[in-house]
């Protein structure tokens, strides 16, 4: 598999303050990569450089084999962008919106098929102003997909969704995998990253602090699996070799040798006629790991300098506007 994105030693400062302090980033073709980090960590800066909407200070960037800073129009057609917010043209129907958008591309997908992929077929003839928030997000995705992009940037695609709409979106984003698209996803939902992403990259303070699968990240921070149960006060305590601590009426063991410890624990329980009520084996969540990696706080400081539309092209809130004006 080739590389869809290759970034080396990328730097970007605003008013002398580093927002991105020298990062390397690789995304393989067909991969879904989650790019995580606290507010102000440097995600948007990095992604806008990758999209060609922001200039870099130094470093090399290749996106689909091209430097976004000098990319031709044909390159832009191979990229789909779903922003956090956008406002579709209110008077058009969903199908009309997608059809109009398809006309900007040399090799668009069939608009009706795209509406089907994103689960909007039933609302194809609905005016976009009447679509619910979740349906508008689906339309956003349809607009990003209709140009058959090789690479899709998804910026917090499910923020503001109810839990069932989020799950449905996951199915939709999974469908991108089947279509062979590469996806760079930002999200503040750890379960979303865990569910969707092949790999996770965590940025904090403008530097990459971890990368790998959710399990690899857990190993990097040394997070162990926790085995717990509710001991019966009338029963014998487990031998010290098992390494349990008892607090607040629960026994717990932190271990990396889950099978070995469970074997020792259950063997001891069987031999001594001890019940292990509410026995639970929990691996650390991605959220636990993420909070350990990032220290848990926001990074957006008070010193943000004035806005800098560095390329002269601003990343559109509404892609149709940018397409129309290009
Ligand atoms: P969020 O999760 O809140 O979107 P982020 O990880 O995307 O945050 P960035 O928007 O890249 O973070 O911001 C990184 C740093 O650069 C922050 O300190 C921010 O204040 C600063 N910054 C971002 N854009 C500009 C700009 N146009 N002009 C000046 N400073 C900026």
């Amino acid at each position: 598999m080739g590389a869809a994105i290759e970034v080396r030693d990328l730097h970007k400062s605003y008013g002398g303050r580093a927002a991105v302090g020298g990062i390397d980033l690789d995304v393989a073709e067909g991969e879904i990569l989650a790019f995580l980090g606290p507010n102000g960590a440097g995600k948007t800066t990095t992604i806008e450089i990758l999209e060609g909407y922001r200039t870099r200070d130094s470093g090399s960037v290749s996106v689909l084999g091209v430097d976004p800073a000098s990319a031709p129009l044909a390159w832009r057609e191979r990229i789909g962008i779903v922003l956090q917010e956008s406002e579709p043209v209110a008077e058009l129907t969903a199908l009309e919106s997608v059809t109009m958008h398809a006309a900007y591309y040399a090799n668009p997908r069939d608009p009706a098929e795209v509406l089907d992929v994103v689960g909007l077929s039933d609302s194809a003839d609905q005016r976009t102003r009447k679509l619910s928030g979740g349906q508008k997000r689906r339309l956003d995705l349809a607009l990003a997909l209709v140009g058959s992009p090789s690479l899709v940037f998804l910026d917090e695609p499910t923020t503001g969704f109810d839990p069932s709409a989020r799950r449905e979106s996951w199915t939709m984003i999974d469908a991108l995998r089947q279509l062979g698209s590469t996806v760079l996803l930002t999200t503040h939902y750890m379960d979303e990253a865990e569910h969707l992403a092949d790999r996770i990259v965590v940025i904090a303070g403008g530097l990459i602090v971890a990368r790998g699968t959710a399990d690899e990240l857990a190993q990097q921070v040394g997070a162990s699996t926790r085995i717990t149960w509710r001991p019966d006060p009338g029963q014998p305590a487990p031998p010290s070799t098992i390494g349990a601590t008892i607090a607040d009426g629960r026994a717990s063991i932190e271990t990396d040798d889950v099978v070995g410890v469970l074997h020792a624990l259950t063997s001891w329980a069987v031999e001594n006629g001890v019940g292990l009520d509410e026995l639970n084996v929990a691996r650390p969540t991605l959220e636990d790991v993420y909070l350990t990696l990032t220290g848990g706080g926001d990074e957006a400081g008070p010193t943000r300098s004035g806005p800098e539309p560095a390329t002269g092209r601003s990343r559109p809130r509404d892609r149709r506007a940018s397409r129309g004006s290009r």
Side-chain angles (χ1 to χ4, degrees), residues 227-235 249-252 265 268-269 273-281:
I227 300 169
T228 60
W229 72 98
R230 189 167 55 77
D232 185 333
Q235 290 176 339
R250 287 200 76 80
S252 70
L265 177 66
W268 163 79
V274 171
L276 297 171
D277 291 346
E278 298 171 20
L279 179 66
N280 184 273
V281 180

Side-chain angles (χ1 to χ4, degrees), residues 84-315:
Q84 280 175 35
E85 296 162 27
S86 70
E87 215 29 69
V89 180
E91 292 314 314
L92 295 181
T93 66
L95 182 58
E96 285 167 350
S97 295
V98 179
T99 305
M100 187 181 88
H101 206 69
Y104 296 123
Y105 294 94
N107 296 303
R109 291 202 172 101
D110 175 43
E113 253 174 45
V114 173
L115 283 183
D116 194 37
V117 168
V118 303
L120 259 191
S121 291
D122 290 347
S123 309
D125 298 324
Q126 183 93 270
R127 297 213 184 283
T128 63
R129 71 181 144 83
K130 292 196 173 158
L131 297 176
S132 71
Q135 287 171 325
K136 277 188 185 148
R137 297 300 285 149
R138 285 160 190 264
L139 180 59
D140 282 338
L141 190 56
L143 294 172
L145 294 187
V146 74
S148 311
S150 311
L151 170 64
V152 182
F153 291 97
L154 292 177
D155 193 1
E156 299 187 24
T158 64
T159 295
F161 280 24
D162 67 43
S164 70
R166 286 183 63 221
R167 292 281 164 163
E168 283 176 39
S169 304
W170 292 1
T171 312
M172 229 157 60
I173 295 165
D174 262 335
L176 291 183
R177 200 194 297 274
Q178 320 305 328
L179 295 173
S181 295
T182 306
V183 177
L184 182 54
L185 162 83
T186 67
T187 180
H188 287 292
Y189 298 115
M190 295 302 129
D191 55 345
E192 185 159 293
E194 197 157 15
H195 180 89
L196 290 173
D198 300 310
R199 263 182 338 119
I200 294 163
V201 169
V202 182
I203 183 169
L207 297 170
I208 306 289
V209 293
R211 60 182 97 220
T213 62
D215 284 340
E216 286 165 356
L217 261 48
Q219 277 169 18
Q220 282 173 38
V221 300
S224 301
T225 298
R226 177 174 288 175
I227 300 169
T228 60
W229 72 98
R230 189 167 55 77
D232 185 333
Q235 290 176 339
S240 58
T241 46
I242 286 184
T245 54
I246 299 179
D248 299 329
R250 287 200 76 80
S252 70
I253 304 170
E254 305 256 345
T255 183
D256 293 324
D257 177 19
V258 178
V259 173
V261 170
L262 274 179
H263 178 71
L265 177 66
T266 51
S267 302
W268 163 79
V270 169
E271 278 162 23
N272 292 276
V274 171
L276 297 171
D277 291 346
E278 298 171 20
L279 179 66
N280 184 273
V281 180
R283 77 179 183 117
T285 65
L286 181 58
E287 186 152 333
D288 297 332
V289 172
Y290 171 83
L291 289 173
T292 307
L293 285 167
T294 60
D298 277 7
E299 305 190 7
T303 56
R304 181 177 182 134
S305 27
E308 183 207 0
T311 59
R313 271 193 307 253
S314 62
R315 193 189 194 207

Side-chain angles (χ1 to χ4, degrees), residues 4-7 10 46-56 59-73 75-76 79 151 153 311 313:
I5 297 177
E6 236 176 33
V7 173
L10 176 66
T46 304
I47 287 173
E48 290 193 352
I49 290 169
L50 300 181
E51 292 169 347
Y53 287 116
R54 197 158 285 274
T55 54
R56 60 187 185 265
S60 67
V61 177
S62 166
V63 176
L64 301 177
V66 170
D67 182 343
S70 53
L73 212 61
W75 172 84
R76 197 153 285 285
I79 300 213
L151 170 64
F153 291 97
T311 59
R313 271 193 307 253

Side-chain angles (χ1 to χ4, degrees), residues 14 17 19 38-45 54 188 304-308:
Y14 300 106
R17 185 176 173 210
N39 294 135
K43 301 181 297 294
T44 306
T45 299
R54 197 158 285 274
H188 287 292
R304 181 177 182 134
S305 27
E308 183 207 0

